Amino acid sequence: MSILKIAIQKSGRLYEESLQLLKDCGIFVNNGKDQLKVSVDNFPMEIMYLRNSDIPQYLEDGVVDIAIVGENLLVEKQKKIDIVLPLGFSKCRVSLAIPKEIETDDIQYFQGKKIATSYPNTLKNFLDQNNISAEIHIISGSVEIAPNIGLADGICDIVSSGSTLFKNGLRETVTLLTSQAVLAKTSELSKEKTAILEKFVFRIKAVLKAKNSKYILMNVPNEKIEIVSKTLPVLKSPTVIPLAEEGWSSIHSVIDEDRFWEVIDELKDKGAQDILIIPIDKMVI
């Protein structure tokens, strides 16, 4: 029987969220202390915990079949890897930053300057595209301290909240790319492993759809059922259940998280009352 080998980051920001996604997909991991490879009892999958920077090479070489990895890392490593699905977590950006006392945001500031980074390929491509000649200093960690110790005039690094930049007297100026965690796969998979991957992706989509949706229940006068239903476009049709009180019905449906408050306001304006919102665990459509 084929086993799908998946790589996830063994520590750091992607580790916990990757394990949570597997758990939400009903995949139970037999985690042993300090194990680098673990089995799964209820799904044909084997998990390998790897250094984040090593994952793209393992994927390209086919040592692992799939991986949960930051999109920014795939761009930087420039490997022959296919992105299967964006996962919507661990969002960040790769940006240029400079000492906060420098007022300009013009990228020409970096002309002839020194830039410290852990993303030399991403940075070089950006500089070449903008005809900027700069000296790139490659640093494996703590890039943000480089300007303070006189090593560089600015940095190129991943940014999430920006708090690390602020603490080190830096400010973000230009975003080179935006990133999130993605499910990626090696360029060649057997037919059997492709079938397992499709089942895994099906589960992921059900989990992600549920996280971006809410189950909604409300009471509506019967004469307003049609107009209220038009505000609930997520499912094919809302469920309508007559209430004990004559002339009223309960409507059940799903709404998108992104439009939550906008939809609630519309429903109230159209006559909905006693609105209840319930989280959704999984959503299969």
Side-chain angles (χ1 to χ4, degrees):
M1 181 180 178
S2 293
I3 299 293
L4 195 67
K5 296 179 180 178
I6 180 173
I8 67 172
Q9 186 176 325
K10 67 178 181 179
S11 62
R13 63 192 183 93
L14 274 178
Y15 172 76
E16 294 292 344
E17 289 174 299
S18 298
L19 287 183
Q20 184 61 52
L21 178 63
L22 294 178
K23 182 179 178 181
D24 291 342
C25 289
I27 296 171
F28 303 112
V29 181
N30 297 320
N31 262 351
K33 183 176 176 58
D34 298 326
Q35 285 184 287
L36 298 181
K37 184 172 70 172
V38 297
S39 61
V40 174
D41 288 338
N42 63 339
F43 195 79
M45 177 179 283
E46 185 177 72
I47 300 169
M48 297 181 67
Y49 298 107
L50 302 174
R51 285 198 317 171
N52 195 43
S53 59
D54 292 338
I55 291 177
Q57 188 64 59
Y58 275 66
L59 271 174
E60 185 178 58
D61 293 343
V63 177
V64 296
D65 303 309
I66 61 174
I68 296 174
V69 64
E71 189 176 6
N72 57 298
L73 186 62
L74 297 183
V75 172
E76 173 61 26
K77 295 297 184 180
Q78 301 177 344
K79 301 296 182 181
K80 295 178 181 178
I81 297 167
D82 300 324
I83 293 178
V84 179
L85 188 69
L87 300 176
F89 57 81
S90 289
K91 293 183 178 180
C92 65
R93 52 199 179 273
V94 178
S95 296
L96 289 164
I98 58 177
K100 61 183 179 181
E101 61 269 16
I102 298 173
E103 296 181 356
T104 182
D105 286 342
D106 192 336
I107 60 174
Q108 291 300 319
Y109 162 81
F110 293 98
Q111 191 70 252
K113 297 292 197 303
K114 298 177 182 178
I115 308 174
T117 187
S118 299
Y119 294 86
N121 293 325
T122 303
L123 176 58
K124 185 179 185 305
N125 289 339
F126 176 82
L127 295 177
D128 290 346
Q129 290 169 9
N130 289 277
N131 298 314
I132 294 174
S133 176
E135 187 176 339
I136 298 175
H137 285 262
I138 303 175
I139 300 177
S140 59
S142 301
V143 175
E144 63 276 356
I145 69 170
N148 291 330
I149 62 176
L151 182 62
D153 302 293
I155 70 168
C156 175
D157 201 13
I158 58 171
V159 180
S160 295
S161 66
S163 61
T164 302
L165 294 181
F166 180 80
K167 291 175 183 177
N168 287 275
L170 302 174
R171 64 180 186 85
E172 188 177 0
T173 58
V174 182
T175 297
L176 280 61
L177 64 90
T178 57
S179 175
Q180 62 178 301
V182 297
L183 181 68
K185 73 178 183 71
T186 188
S187 57
E188 294 185 11
L189 277 182
S190 67
K191 182 178 179 180
E192 293 79 9
K193 289 189 176 184
T194 297
I196 299 171
L197 175 58
E198 288 173 352
K199 291 180 180 179
F200 183 43
V201 169
F202 176 81
R203 294 190 185 193
I204 292 175
K205 287 182 176 179
V207 169
L208 296 182
K209 183 63 177 175
K211 288 183 177 179
N212 293 324
S213 304
K214 299 292 184 184
Y215 192 80
I216 184 169
L217 305 83
M218 72 206 79
N219 295 331
V220 178
N222 288 343
E223 68 271 15
K224 295 186 177 180
I225 289 176
E226 183 176 354
I227 190 172
V228 167
S229 297
K230 290 179 180 178
T231 310
L232 302 166
V234 173
L235 299 179
K236 292 183 178 66
S237 176
T239 300
V240 180
I241 303 173
L243 295 180
E245 184 175 345
E246 188 175 347
W248 285 79
S249 293
S250 176
I251 294 182
H252 299 206
S253 189
V254 173
I255 59 175
D256 289 325
E257 178 73 26
D258 293 341
R259 294 189 62 234
F260 178 80
W261 291 112
E262 177 186 345
V263 170
I264 294 298
D265 288 340
E266 288 184 31
L267 293 172
K268 290 177 63 180
D269 290 342
K270 292 176 179 178
Q273 298 181 18
D274 307 323
I275 301 172
L276 299 179
I277 309 298
I278 302 173
I280 300 173
D281 186 42
K282 307 287 188 298
M283 190 168 173
V284 180
I285 297 180

